[in-house]
Amino acid sequence: MEKVGWKRQWVFLVGWFGIVVQMLLLTECSVKTPVRIPRNINSQELMSSPPVQLHVLDQHVIMDNGLVNVTLSTPQGMVTGIQYDGIDNLLEEQNKERNRGYWDVVWSSTRQPNDSYDLLEGTDFRVIMEEEYQIELSFTKTWNSSLNNTTIPLNVDKRFIMLRGSPGFYSYAIFERLEGWPDLSIYQGRIAFKLQEQLFNYMAVSDERQRIMPTAQDRKNGQVLDFPEAVLLTNPANPALQGEVDDKYQYSCDDKDNQVHGWIGSSNPPVGFWMITPSDEFRTGGPVKQDLTSHVGPTTLSMFFSTHYAGGSLGIKFENEEPWKKVFGPVLVYLNSASVDDDPLKLWEDAKEQMLIETQNWPYNFPLSEDYPFSYQRGEVTGRLLIRDRYIREEFMTANSAYVGLAPPGDVGSWQRENKGYQFWTRTDAEGYFLIKGVRSGNYSLYAWVPGIVGDYKYDKSVIVSPGCNIRLSVLVFDPPRNGPTLWEIGIPDRTAAEFYVPDPNPRLTNQLYVANNAEKFRQYGLWDRYAELYPEQDLSYVVGLSNYETDWFFAHVNRNIGNKTYEPTTWQITFDLQNVIDTGNYTLQLALASAHEANLQVRINDQEAEEPYFSTGFIGKDNAIARHGIHGLYWLFSVDISASLLLSGSNTIFLRQSKGAGPFKGVMYDYIRLEGPPETD
Ligand SMILES: *[C@@H]1O[C@H](CO)[C@@H](O)[C@H](O)[C@H]1NC(C)=O
Ligand SMILES: *[C@@H]1O[C@H](CO)[C@@H](O)[C@H](O)[C@H]1NC(C)=O
Ligand SMILES: *[C@@H]1O[C@H](CO)[C@@H](O)[C@H](O)[C@H]1NC(C)=O
Ligand SMILES: *[C@@H]1O[C@H](CO)[C@@H](O)[C@H](O)[C@H]1NC(C)=O
Ligand SMILES: *[C@@H]1O[C@H](CO)[C@@H](O)[C@H](O)[C@H]1NC(C)=O
Ligand SMILES: *[C@@H]1O[C@H](CO)[C@@H](O)[C@H](O)[C@H]1NC(C)=O
Ligand SMILES: *[C@@H]1O[C@H](CO)[C@@H](O)[C@H](O)[C@H]1NC(C)=O
Ligand SMILES: *[C@@H]1O[C@H](CO)[C@@H](O)[C@H](O)[C@H]1NC(C)=O
């Protein structure tokens, strides 16, 4: 605990007396009556649509609610057909039946060390419910120890639900491992749909990110760039797309914003195919984990977990015969259609409205697996978050728009690598209050971080959530990393490098979407090679007081392209003046990174040639955010003590060297850098 002078204590006591009283009074827990709210099957809207029907055929089963027919293979549970609005199949019929609509995972184990791909095909089919207002189907696959070592040690129960009056269907899955099963790593899990190629050519990921897309054939006809996912369209069927770059990673999205995306078809009238993911609870790595959305194929995905923008630490690893069970989804495939004269973009507006309805209805009251808890079986957590940083303000500050979340117990900041449990995130209001609803019962830690404030918060007690329970936490006070007054700072502590200088792309390698939408130009291909063009001889040099991080700080600390596919390490400099060095304590360099990929960042102070760096991060990161056009990957914070004896009265220089050369994609992105003076006593 830091020592506070009597004056400061007085301010805390008087100014925050009310809060202290709240702390004492508001911790309570009340159990609500456990009543499952039944689905309102009498509502007029529902009764005006036909009942849901199930047709069980030889090798298929069809769910039909008059609005849409969904065909699945039995017992595998692959979606082979979606009949809607007079169109026989929204999925691509040229593809094999197992390559149209499916769940899949990528995995390995010591017994099967190479990455394997598994389509999680069911071996048993069951009808869970067949009523006129709801059908639920189950396709299961079970592992047992007499199976050979090439099969994934995982039980999977894939569920598909159709509701009366609902133009689409839901899917979720329960993954389970029993105690004693062999080790396993799963790197990716998702549900994927391959849409009819002739029909779908317009993709929407957000209001700003939507466009006419190239085709899979355009990519085959194009020229592969630095990695297979990036293709220069040299001969597209639509000549307007000539010369553009296509790369599915250009359409990635933070999970917190990844709730609806999809395609609009060119049929007359136009139809929309949308993937709605109404909750983040089953995803991994917290609200700012990024992942894929939709891309050329036309393909649309709901990614439940992956190593994208994170690396192996987001692979789900089971050792020591660990048991596990987790429910992924439900997600909704939502279909809509416009009338002949309508603007097809109305379909996107309607899909967003449906997304809001789905998120408001979460947790759903209709999935029938006992592993999916209904609303009354879940709890709530409320509280208020304040920030105490006396070098910013004498008084407590409210944590406005802070991210607050529950995740399995772990260290400070561990939520961004957590990948086996459930996470529940929200944001605080302008006064710092938060409400986390629909929490599954369990033992959690409460984590938070605040845009504009460096570091991570963790509540020091466990939060035990039980069914129907509303936990009111006391006022939480976040003491962010801080040793002394700010001497200077570069950037904004918000876990991205977006505020720094993002160059224009090479004009021969653009995606026109991000020319029009300049705000996200970091999604352009090949920006790493712009560094050497901007700094042909000398590396980046930043002068505190003169330079401006928006124009003078390149968004990524990359290697220098010296031609012929050769890349060399670079050393950046920060020059600053100190009027007189105070030797009553250490200075502190707060070094926050928004991304690291196979990097080693070294810090030298006033001696560029020093053989040993003063500080080094060690070999860190595999988030690949430079190659994947992400403006951030995982967050890293290093608080480096700097002895006053190293600093000079007058001009000083900090040298930042990323020492791992040899490739374009190794490097770091800075989030924020701050130099603090020694602690002040009063
Ligand atoms: C679903 O299939 C039935 C039986 O083939 C057919 O009568 C109906 O029109 C189909 N519904 C849709 C929405 O395509
Ligand atoms: C499966 O893996 C185990 C452990 O590596 C090994 O002992 C066993 O022989 C393997 N079985 C088969 C059928 O390959
Ligand atoms: C793993 O892949 C390597 C290289 O493709 C191959 O030589 C090896 O046989 C594979 N091992 C297994 C167990 O499949
Ligand atoms: C385990 O799998 C084998 C091979 O598929 C099967 O013959 C056997 O019945 C299964 N055992 C159990 C207990 O399910
Ligand atoms: C192992 O199991 C898979 C899946 O059941 C099967 O395709 C494969 O032939 C089996 N391999 C051996 C060597 O038994
Ligand atoms: C909750 O988890 C923490 C950390 O693992 C543990 O110390 C504590 O005993 C758990 N509490 C309960 C009630 O299970
Ligand atoms: C470029 O690299 C290749 C392969 O290493 C080498 O053969 C060639 O001479 C190099 N060209 C130049 C201009 O350095
Ligand atoms: C200054 O930093 C050094 C290196 O981390 C540390 O050993 C020392 O205790 C610090 N001194 C003070 C006064 O905090």
Side-chain angles (χ1 to χ4, degrees), residues 175-193:
F175 288 11
E176 182 179 25
R177 282 168 47 84
L178 305 185
E179 191 158 4
W181 283 12
D183 75 270
L184 167 67
S185 297
I186 326 178
Y187 303 107
Q188 173 172 298
R190 60 181 192 178
I191 187 168
F193 292 91

Side-chain angles (χ1 to χ4, degrees), residues 231-266:
V231 169
L232 179 62
L233 304 173
T234 50
N235 193 16
N238 175 352
L241 307 180
Q242 175 78 30
E244 285 202 65
V245 173
D246 178 72
D247 178 349
K248 63 183 174 182
Y249 290 96
Q250 293 185 320
Y251 304 104
S252 295
C253 188
D254 282 2
D255 282 350
K256 67 180 164 60
D257 304 318
N258 186 350
Q259 294 174 304
V260 57
H261 55 85
W263 294 81
I264 295 174
S266 57

Side-chain angles (χ1 to χ4, degrees), residues 487-531:
L487 301 182
W488 50 260
E489 56 191 346
I490 298 173
I492 303 166
D494 61 356
R495 296 172 190 240
T496 89
E499 70 272 30
F500 297 127
Y501 181 70
V502 180
D504 290 332
N506 180 327
R508 289 177 292 105
L509 297 171
T510 60
N511 178 331
Q512 288 302 316
L513 177 60
Y514 302 114
V515 175
N517 171 10
N518 202 41
E520 299 192 25
K521 65 197 273 201
F522 56 80
R523 298 189 194 277
Q524 293 282 11
Y525 172 87
L527 301 183
W528 49 86
D529 273 347
R530 306 301 277 177
Y531 177 79

Side-chain angles (χ1 to χ4, degrees), residues 87 90 195-203 262-274 336 338 344 347:
I87 299 166
L90 298 181
L195 311 189
Q196 203 191 113
E197 291 180 30
Q198 292 301 311
L199 184 58
F200 291 98
N201 62 2
Y202 190 90
M203 190 179 91
W263 294 81
I264 295 174
S266 57
S267 50
N268 193 8
V271 294
F273 187 108
W274 308 103
N336 55 12
L347 299 177

Side-chain angles (χ1 to χ4, degrees), residues 90-119:
L90 298 181
L91 303 181
E92 180 51 63
E93 293 220 311
Q94 300 294 313
N95 291 3
K96 294 208 169 73
E97 287 208 335
R98 63 210 292 271
N99 185 26
R100 297 180 190 173
Y102 53 89
W103 285 76
D104 66 14
V105 296
V106 178
W107 66 282
S108 71
S109 69
T110 37
R111 295 168 174 211
Q112 177 67 26
N114 291 342
D115 282 1
S116 306
Y117 175 71
D118 196 305
L119 281 165

Side-chain angles (χ1 to χ4, degrees), residues 259-527:
Q259 294 174 304
V260 57
H261 55 85
W263 294 81
I264 295 174
S266 57
S267 50
N268 193 8
V271 294
F273 187 108
W274 308 103
M275 177 60 75
I276 295 180
T277 306
S279 168
D280 256 352
E281 69 179 45
F282 41 77
R283 287 166 164 167
T284 63
V288 290
K289 165 76 170 64
Q290 291 177 88
D291 229 313
L292 295 169
T293 57
S294 291
H295 59 266
V296 168
T299 300
T300 196
L301 308 172
S302 185
M303 299 289 306
F304 298 104
F305 58 93
S306 78
T307 54
H308 296 147
Y309 301 94
S313 61
L314 266 278
I316 309 180
K317 293 189 187 64
F318 302 100
E319 287 162 344
N320 308 318
E321 312 188 332
E322 182 186 350
W324 179 64
K325 190 191 255 187
K326 185 165 172 177
V327 179
F328 296 96
V331 295
L332 169 63
V333 169
Y334 176 69
L335 309 171
N336 55 12
S337 64
S339 46
V340 178
D341 305 324
D342 274 346
D343 178 356
L345 289 182
K346 269 194 168 172
L347 299 177
W348 164 247
E349 296 302 324
D350 176 65
K352 283 194 299 179
E353 273 172 39
Q354 190 64 35
M355 179 272 284
L356 290 177
I357 293 169
E358 300 299 324
T359 52
Q360 276 154 19
N361 286 347
W362 191 271
Y364 291 146
N365 62 16
F366 54 84
L368 292 172
S369 163
E370 61 189 27
D371 296 312
Y372 183 86
F374 298 121
S375 192
Y376 75 84
Q377 295 164 313
R378 298 174 177 232
E380 277 180 12
V381 178
T382 59
R384 185 181 190 196
L385 182 66
L386 301 176
I387 305 157
R388 173 166 53 195
D389 182 338
R390 67 179 174 110
Y391 294 104
I392 299 178
R393 246 176 71 186
E394 198 68 22
E395 294 85 25
F396 286 21
M397 294 170 285
T398 51
N400 184 358
S401 303
Y403 292 89
V404 180
L406 297 167
D411 295 333
V412 178
S414 60
W415 55 269
Q416 68 165 349
R417 290 187 168 78
E418 191 284 317
N419 54 48
K420 287 180 186 163
Y422 299 93
Q423 296 197 15
F424 299 86
W425 287 85
T426 189
R427 296 190 79 171
T428 55
D429 65 16
E431 294 301 313
Y433 289 98
F434 62 87
L435 162 62
I436 307 179
K437 287 192 287 195
V439 184
R440 285 167 166 263
S441 53
N443 184 351
Y444 299 91
S445 290
L446 184 137
Y447 305 91
W449 64 275
V450 190
I453 300 287
V454 78
D456 263 290
Y457 171 79
K458 184 194 157 193
Y459 181 47
D460 56 8
K461 299 188 184 70
S462 302
V463 179
I464 314 290
V465 175
S466 32
C469 207
N470 181 339
I471 299 172
R472 301 199 189 178
L473 296 175
S474 56
V475 171
L476 314 175
V477 179
F478 172 29
D479 292 296
R482 170 72 82 173
N483 290 322
T486 300
L487 301 182
W488 50 260
E489 56 191 346
I490 298 173
I492 303 166
D494 61 356
R495 296 172 190 240
T496 89
E499 70 272 30
F500 297 127
Y501 181 70
V502 180
D504 290 332
N506 180 327
R508 289 177 292 105
L509 297 171
T510 60
N511 178 331
Q512 288 302 316
L513 177 60
Y514 302 114
V515 175
N517 171 10
N518 202 41
E520 299 192 25
K521 65 197 273 201
F522 56 80
R523 298 189 194 277
Q524 293 282 11
Y525 172 87
L527 301 183

Side-chain angles (χ1 to χ4, degrees), residues 16 34 88 133 162 206 208 218 406 588 616 667:
W16 297 95
D88 272 352
Y133 60 92
M162 180 174 276
S206 70
E208 297 76 27
D218 292 344
L406 297 167
T588 306
S616 141

